Amino acid sequence: RRLFEVVLGANSKLLKAPLVEQKQRLLQMGCVILAVRHPDGGGAIPSGHITAGDILLVEAFPGIDGTAEFAVIAPVDASKPPRSGRQQDRMRGLLCLVGFIVVILCNGFSILPLATAVLVLDFLCCFAKVLGRREALQSVNGGVIMTIASSFGISAALTQTGAAHALADALLSAGLGFGPLGVLITLYTGTALLTNIISNTATCVMMIPVAAHISEELQGMENSELNLKTLIIMVILASNAAFATPLGSPCNLLVVDAGDYEFRDFLRFGGMLQLVLLVSTCTLLYACPCT
């Protein structure tokens, strides 16, 4: 049950009944009157019954949407009481916890794709009345879905036009003049720049061949202990450092609305974190390269 603001229609059969009968008939419909407000702002009922245009605050089940007695039905936001303490509530909570673990295991052992497993869990939650159909639909953030889908198009455009590969090659070529440490710095910088624009998966796919090409060139340099494995680890670490823009990761997009973040917030804090990771990662891999 939850709270609703309703207005009796002009043709409602309740208008001609006295207040006691109106309350009784509304109670039979599953509605409990909590407050009455007249269009003029008053809260009293001088006429002894509810009239057309009066706004009622009632507690009822969501099924009152199909009631013909009301001209307007508006649910009150965040008025649904918490569901806890009862045996069925504990069972529903256990279902969510077990279902979440099963989804992780199914995806980890390649039994089901992640999207399929999550959809099955969603349907089970709706069937067990953990949440209603409307609540499930309202929880879908269309803006985030469209942004993520659009980012795949941007990633494909950068890849197919060669813009991303040209940018990576330019950064890496600049680092070759400064020795192995310069290569690590430019490799991290190019990978981190790309991963904050396109997805980390696409960044890895594009940067691993470039890292292999740089590894071949470094083999001819003296005192260079950097091998392909070290450069691949660098690519993996840098491609997951998507902190500087909201487009770098779906996780970043999910918290934009909740935290009321702006693009500059990601640049301000994520950019500083990028610098810290650049220095620490490059220094560690330069001092202790993989064998």
Side-chain angles (χ1 to χ4, degrees), residues 22-283:
Q22 288 177 330
K23 290 183 177 180
Q24 185 64 30
R25 294 178 65 176
L26 285 172
L27 187 60
Q28 293 175 356
M29 296 164 53
C31 302
V32 178
I33 301 177
L34 302 179
V36 180
R37 184 177 65 189
H38 295 286
D40 58 1
I45 309 178
S47 59
H49 64 277
I50 302 170
T51 60
D54 290 345
I55 302 174
L56 312 180
L57 179 66
V58 301
E59 180 187 2
F61 289 106
I64 66 170
D65 292 359
T67 304
E69 301 291 343
F70 304 129
V72 178
I73 301 175
V76 178
D77 295 335
S79 63
K80 184 178 179 181
R83 299 166 61 181
S84 60
R86 300 178 300 173
Q87 180 64 25
Q88 55 266 42
D89 296 328
R90 288 191 288 269
M91 294 299 296
R92 291 181 179 122
L94 183 61
L95 171 65
C96 293
L97 178 60
V98 173
F100 182 71
I101 296 174
V102 171
V103 166
I104 295 176
L105 293 176
C106 287
N107 182 252
F109 289 98
S110 301
I111 300 174
L112 281 176
L114 181 60
T116 304
V118 170
L119 282 176
V120 171
L121 179 59
D122 289 341
F123 281 117
L124 286 177
C125 289
C126 292
F127 181 76
K129 296 184 179 180
V130 176
L131 73 168
R133 176 178 56 86
R134 292 186 178 181
E135 292 175 315
L137 294 176
Q138 290 174 355
S139 64
V140 177
N141 194 327
V144 173
I145 294 177
M146 289 299 297
T147 305
I148 294 175
S150 301
S151 66
F152 283 104
I154 298 175
S155 174
L158 290 174
T159 304
Q160 294 180 6
T161 58
H165 199 281
L167 176 61
D169 277 343
L171 290 172
L172 294 171
S173 298
L176 287 175
F178 298 94
L181 182 60
V183 171
L184 289 175
I185 294 175
T186 51
L187 179 62
Y188 186 99
T189 303
T191 306
L193 178 62
L194 287 176
T195 197
N196 281 283
I197 302 174
I198 60 179
S199 68
N200 56 353
T201 304
T203 301
C204 272
V205 170
M206 290 186 298
M207 294 301 295
I208 285 178
V210 177
H213 175 70
I214 295 299
S215 176
E216 294 177 358
E217 294 191 15
L218 288 176
Q219 290 179 359
M221 297 179 58
E222 297 182 358
N223 301 324
S224 177
E225 298 182 358
L226 297 181
N227 52 27
L228 179 59
K229 187 176 181 180
T230 301
L231 297 179
I232 293 298
I233 291 179
M234 170 65 74
V235 169
I236 294 173
L237 295 175
S239 63
N240 286 281
F243 314 123
T245 68
L247 301 176
S249 171
C251 300
N252 297 0
L253 292 172
L254 291 173
V255 301
V256 168
D257 291 336
D260 195 22
Y261 296 119
E262 297 180 357
F263 198 94
R264 61 182 179 181
D265 296 326
F266 284 88
L267 285 176
R268 182 170 50 182
F269 297 101
M272 294 174 60
L273 183 58
Q274 290 279 15
L275 292 177
V276 172
L277 290 176
L278 185 146
V279 174
S280 58
T281 305
C282 293
T283 302

